[in-house]
């Protein structure tokens, strides 16, 4: 039986089995470690996790943690080390770095803790080299960015210049979104004049947008890897006196971006439904624990939906 068929059959079994939890006679503990809790995207993800825990009261205990700065992988490693010392049963992580976070997650797997990643993939080549399966739960960042990019391109004259403002280069989701934007621009005969990292932050996005537009004054659109950077790009456009001359798209559909879209300062974003991502990941972990599904037998990818949101 193929792995997917085996997984579906096993998840359907009404069996409650958690090795570590049952051995000690306690409720299973599932820990979720997010990235920057200052970001409204991860606040929504945390809310989805809390809602899932309430809806499944008594079936597991949720331990929710997060870091302050999205790129602070050292703090995330420290949080995971402390959680493992508490004998958790499953660990769901939004990796702050797609390579640096692999060693602590391998230690978690070796300690018989079920491990799932969320929102940002680990580096596939590194994982393959280690011979371990760590599932990813989330949408296709490439497809989402391509959809947003094609929407923006449809508002521009052919062969227009655009700039890309991306997240940290070590983040797989940042690379996937940039690749999606590039593909959209190629398909629509647009010219990518430059790429700068805004490190997921508003200030970083503003600095990157300013640098791109000063270097290439002909830029007519800025394609941003998240909404924080899109907000920063909007501030840069205003500061340079280019309002209504440069289109902007973001990614995440956080509450803070909506006034900018209403005002016509940002034209599009992608809703990844972070609350649903959390629920999908918790469902996967809980069912695996209940049915004693091994790490190697989990699906490599659990796809979640995304939606283009545009100002109409």
């Amino acid at each position: 039986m193929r792995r997917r068929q085996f997984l579906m059959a096993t998840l359907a079994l009404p069996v409650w089995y958690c090795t570590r939890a049952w051995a000690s006679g306690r409720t299973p503990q599932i820990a979720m470690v997010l990235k920057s809790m200052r970001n409204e995207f991860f606040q929504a993800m945390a809310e989805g996790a809390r809602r899932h825990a309430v809806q499944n009261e008594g079936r597991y205990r949720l331990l929710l943690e997060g870091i302050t700065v999205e790129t602070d992988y050292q703090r995330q490693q420290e949080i995971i080390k402390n959680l493992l010392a508490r004998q958790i049963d499953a660990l769901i992580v939004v990796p702050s770095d797609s390579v640096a976070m692999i060693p602590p997650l391998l230690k978690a797997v070796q300690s018989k803790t079920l491990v799932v990643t969320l929102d940002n993939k680990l580096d596939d080549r590194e994982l393959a080299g280690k011979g371990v399966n760590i599932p990813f739960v989330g949408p296709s960042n490439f497809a989402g960015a391509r959809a947003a990019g094609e929407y923006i391109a449809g508002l521009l004259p052919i062969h227009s210049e655009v700039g890309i403002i991306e997240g940290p280069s070590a983040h797989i989701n940042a690379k996937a979104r940039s690749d999606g934007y590039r593909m959209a621009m190629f398909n629509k005969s647009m010219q990518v004049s430059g790429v700068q990292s805004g490190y997921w932050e508003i200030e970083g996005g503003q600095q990157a947008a300013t640098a791109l537009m000063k270097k290439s004054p002909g830029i007519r659109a800025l394609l941003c890897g998240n909404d924080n950077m899109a907000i920063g790009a909007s501030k840069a456009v205003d500061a340079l006196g280019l309002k209504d001359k440069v289109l902007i798209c973001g990614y995440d559909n956080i509450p803070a971006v909506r006034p900018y879209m209403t005002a016509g300062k940002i034209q599009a974003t992608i809703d990844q439904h972070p609350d649903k991502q959390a629920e999908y990941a918790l469902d996967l972990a809980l069912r695996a624990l209940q049915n004693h599904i091994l790490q190697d037998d989990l699906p490599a990818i659990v796809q979640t939906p995304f939606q283009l949101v545009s100002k109409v």
Side-chain angles (χ1 to χ4, degrees):
M1 187 181 295
R2 291 181 300 176
R3 175 175 294 179
R4 180 176 295 178
Q5 294 173 323
F6 171 79
L7 177 67
M8 293 176 65
T10 308
L11 292 182
L13 295 174
V15 179
W16 181 271
Y17 187 81
C18 300
T19 306
R20 186 176 290 163
W22 273 99
S24 60
R26 61 170 171 78
T27 302
Q29 298 184 100
I30 302 179
M32 182 175 286
V33 183
L34 306 180
K35 291 202 291 183
S36 175
M37 296 305 290
R38 300 180 303 182
N39 188 328
E40 289 176 320
F41 179 82
F42 294 110
Q43 292 171 12
M45 186 174 283
E47 184 55 36
R50 294 188 188 99
R51 183 168 59 245
H52 187 278
V54 170
Q55 293 170 347
N56 291 274
E57 185 175 2
R59 299 180 68 192
Y60 74 97
R61 180 186 174 206
L62 175 67
L63 305 176
L64 190 60
E65 300 270 5
I67 55 179
T68 302
V69 179
E70 291 202 27
T71 55
D72 190 0
Y73 66 86
Q74 293 175 322
R75 174 58 184 151
Q76 202 171 51
Q77 289 175 340
E78 182 182 345
I79 289 172
I80 290 171
K81 180 180 179 181
N82 293 337
L83 286 169
L84 293 178
R86 297 172 65 177
Q87 297 287 291
I88 58 174
D89 300 283
L91 175 64
I92 300 171
V93 180
V94 179
S96 54
D97 187 288
S98 297
V99 175
M101 289 308 300
I102 290 179
L105 296 184
L106 289 179
K107 288 183 181 179
V109 171
Q110 291 163 0
S111 73
K112 308 300 182 184
T113 300
L114 191 79
V115 178
V116 174
T117 58
L118 181 62
D119 183 59
N120 183 33
K121 285 180 95 285
L122 295 172
D123 187 282
D124 287 330
R125 290 172 297 181
E126 290 287 332
L127 282 181
K130 303 297 182 183
V132 64
N133 172 47
I134 298 182
F136 167 71
V137 177
S140 169
N141 287 279
F142 176 86
R146 183 175 62 187
E150 288 179 349
Y151 175 81
I152 294 295
L155 303 176
L156 295 169
I158 195 169
H159 302 310
S160 293
E161 291 184 56
V162 305
I164 295 175
I165 301 176
E166 62 182 4
S169 59
H171 293 201
I172 295 298
N173 59 347
K175 183 179 184 302
R177 291 174 195 177
S178 294
D179 287 346
Y181 285 142
R182 287 188 183 92
M183 179 60 74
M185 296 306 102
F186 176 80
N187 290 341
K188 297 294 184 177
S189 299
M190 300 294 163
Q191 177 184 342
V192 177
S193 295
V195 180
Q196 292 267 350
S197 179
Y199 301 98
W200 300 133
E201 304 288 347
I202 292 176
E203 183 179 353
Q206 184 170 358
Q207 292 172 349
T210 301
L212 284 169
M213 290 186 293
K214 286 186 175 180
K215 181 180 178 181
S216 302
I219 282 177
R220 290 295 170 260
L222 293 168
L223 313 174
C224 305
N226 77 352
D227 286 339
N228 280 335
M229 295 188 298
I231 290 170
S234 176
K235 293 179 182 294
V237 167
D238 285 350
L240 293 173
L242 296 173
K243 183 182 177 182
D244 299 326
K245 295 182 179 179
V246 178
L247 303 181
I248 299 172
C249 75
Y251 203 107
D252 286 340
N253 194 32
I254 61 175
V257 83
R258 293 164 198 168
Y260 288 83
M261 295 185 68
T262 300
K265 294 184 175 184
I266 294 175
Q267 282 66 45
T269 186
I270 294 293
D271 192 340
Q272 298 190 88
H273 306 289
D275 55 337
K276 293 296 183 184
Q277 286 190 48
E279 292 172 13
Y280 274 57
L282 285 164
D283 275 341
L284 175 64
L286 182 57
R287 291 176 184 175
L289 290 173
Q290 289 174 342
N291 297 291
H292 200 200
I293 299 173
L294 300 177
Q295 184 79 36
D296 284 346
D297 292 323
L298 291 171
I301 296 177
V302 175
Q303 202 84 61
T304 63
F306 69 83
Q307 177 184 1
L308 173 68
V309 180
S310 60
K311 182 179 183 299
V312 294

